[in-house]
Amino acid sequence: MRRLAFVLLAMGAFVLAVFGLQCRAGETVSSKPVGVVELFTSQGCSSCPKADAAFARLADRRDIVAISYHVDYWNYLGWQDTLSARENTERQYGYSKSFGASNVFTPQVVLNGVRTAKTGGLSHVMTDLDALARGGQAVSVPVSARLTPETMTIAIGAGSGKANVVVAYFKRSTTVAIESGENTGRTLHYRNAVTKLETVGGMGRQGDDLETAGLRGLQTRL
């Protein structure tokens, strides 16, 4: 069974680079999307379905990396989110701390790991990402990867500072019939829901190559 993943190069919360291309063994692929959109959501949140639907349209774009995290702190309302994980909640709290906020909420959209965006219809996302690029907060480090049956070799281009290489595994599409809680009776559709984040290495100087083992059957997509 092939797995779906994005590969992120992150310095703290700031996403320096990301790629996710369909890749077969023996191929070298590279990608430089205009930005990363992270949605924090919950099946038990009555305010989330509108944002989930807008996010699904972003997930179809090939110039944006869009990944969603289902949090677990609304599960007490009567419905256990089938995609939720404590690790997703902890990631959101990490963003909250880095932004100087004292609370978390859903839906929340984070752009390039550096700022929160308004949710609504998310029609402003491209404008916001362009503004981040002009301000030097775009995904700026070139990254490419070569996949073999046993390993993925990640080539990291020119950059500065230290960063972690993180693989984000996700489910491309999930449909859930909600049987209790705030969204009782609704059938909701979710895109690119993260199931696992795995730090597979680090980058400490320009031009590093990182070889990761244990990625047999990995499929990446943008």
Side-chain angles (χ1 to χ4, degrees):
M1 178 178 178
R2 293 190 299 176
R3 305 178 73 180
L4 295 171
F6 289 118
V7 180
L8 310 176
L9 181 63
M11 182 182 297
F14 183 24
V15 179
L16 301 172
V18 63
F19 68 85
L21 294 173
Q22 292 196 23
C23 180
R24 293 186 297 271
E27 290 183 334
T28 299
V29 296
S30 61
S31 171
K32 190 177 180 182
V34 298
V36 179
V37 179
E38 296 175 271
L39 171 68
F40 292 90
T41 186
S42 172
Q43 296 169 9
C45 162
S46 61
S47 301
C48 289
K50 183 178 179 180
D52 293 325
F55 175 84
R57 293 191 290 274
L58 290 177
D60 287 331
R61 295 183 61 117
R62 299 190 65 85
D63 58 346
I64 291 178
V65 168
I67 48 181
S68 65
Y69 303 87
H70 286 244
V71 299
D72 66 354
Y73 51 78
W74 295 129
N75 288 352
Y76 79 94
L77 294 176
W79 175 255
Q80 297 290 311
D81 188 318
T82 61
L83 297 169
S84 67
R86 184 62 189 171
E87 292 79 6
N88 295 341
T89 299
E90 291 171 353
R91 182 173 180 82
Q92 189 182 24
Y93 271 104
Y95 274 135
S96 178
K97 182 178 180 180
S98 69
F99 297 157
S102 59
N103 64 331
V104 293
F105 59 92
T106 54
Q108 181 183 24
V109 172
V110 176
L111 302 180
N112 289 359
V114 297
R115 59 162 290 185
T116 296
K118 296 178 181 178
T119 50
L122 301 182
S123 59
H124 56 280
V125 163
M126 295 304 298
T127 300
D128 289 349
L129 289 175
D130 183 60
L132 288 174
R134 292 196 304 272
Q137 293 179 305
V139 286
S140 56
V141 178
V143 177
S144 63
R146 182 174 179 83
L147 186 67
T148 74
E150 299 295 338
T151 64
M152 173 184 284
T153 300
I154 301 169
I156 302 168
S160 61
K162 295 182 178 180
N164 291 323
V165 179
V166 180
V167 178
Y169 300 99
F170 65 93
K171 293 183 177 181
R172 186 195 300 271
S173 180
T174 307
T175 300
V176 180
I178 310 298
E179 298 176 0
S180 60
E182 292 187 352
N183 291 314
T184 301
R186 303 185 68 173
T187 298
L188 301 175
H189 307 280
Y190 300 99
R191 294 290 306 279
N192 295 3
V194 169
T195 58
K196 181 182 179 181
L197 289 176
E198 180 181 7
T199 299
V200 296
M203 183 274 286
R205 62 185 183 274
Q206 292 186 2
D208 277 2
D209 282 0
L210 172 70
E211 186 173 280
T212 64
L215 294 177
R216 178 188 293 273
L218 176 69
Q219 178 195 39
T220 60
R221 176 190 178 273
L222 173 62

